[in-house]
Amino acid sequence: TDTIFRGKLMSIKDQVAIVTGSANGIGSAIARRYGREGCKVVVADIDSDGANAIANEINSDGGVAIAVATDVSDEAQVNSLFESAVSEFGTVDILVNNAGLISPMKHFLEADKNWWDMIVGVNLTGTFLCSLAAGKLMAKKGGGCIINMSSGGATRAHRCFVAYDATKGGIEAMSRAMALDLGPYGVRVNIM
């Protein structure tokens, strides 16, 4: 859709959007909508079959999309994701950091470091790695938009969600700091 930015009507048509965690759920809905609005969409997900299915659906509906299997907690895979996007479409204009883990849920007294590292690795480190790659590209060209997905877990506690809630609070704090650093380069950072 067209959006108002600094008093001007802006279109996202022909912009390149990477949506992580877009093989299903909210991410797939965002990817589909971007495709309908004329974006070139990079469907990124650890589930390669699901990512391919969404990209094929976008293409069948008249949009333009590719699928890139990506574990966002892995820096090499994130770098490969952005290389694929730039190779295919020339740039990245929009990044939606949607990839995230909610489960497995664990009571705090049953938690362990492996569980913590897994949730934090995808939700918080993955958002950082993807944002860093996008931020460097966007700052160099003088503009872009990074959208980080949060939830009520950022401000409200939930039983058995210590790691998840911590990552959502971290995403919101990180987003505010990123917005300060990237704003002078014309890069907007938003939290949804």
Side-chain angles (χ1 to χ4, degrees), residues 64-180:
V64 177
I66 62 169
V68 181
T70 309
D71 176 351
V72 297
S73 69
D74 183 302
E75 186 174 19
Q77 290 189 42
V78 168
N79 290 338
S80 180
L81 165 64
F82 280 82
E83 288 165 7
S84 296
V86 170
S87 175
E88 185 72 23
F89 298 126
T91 191
V92 175
D93 301 295
I94 301 165
L95 167 66
V96 180
N97 281 307
N98 175 71
L101 294 176
I102 295 175
S103 58
M105 296 166 42
K106 288 194 178 195
H107 186 279
F108 182 70
L109 296 177
E110 297 170 346
D112 56 50
K113 188 173 183 300
N114 288 336
W115 170 78
W116 174 268
D117 287 345
M118 180 179 65
I119 303 285
V120 171
V122 173
N123 296 8
L124 190 57
T125 304
T127 297
F128 165 76
L129 291 172
C130 290
S131 296
L132 183 60
K136 288 179 178 180
L137 284 171
M138 293 172 182
K140 190 173 185 178
K141 70 183 186 124
C145 180
I146 297 171
I147 301 167
N148 295 327
M149 300 299 279
S150 186
S151 75
T155 56
R156 292 184 301 278
H158 301 88
R159 287 191 198 287
C160 303
F161 278 81
V162 168
Y164 175 82
D165 287 356
T167 63
K168 293 304 177 176
I171 285 168
E172 292 199 6
M174 179 171 62
S175 298
R176 291 189 295 270
M178 285 168 46
L180 288 176

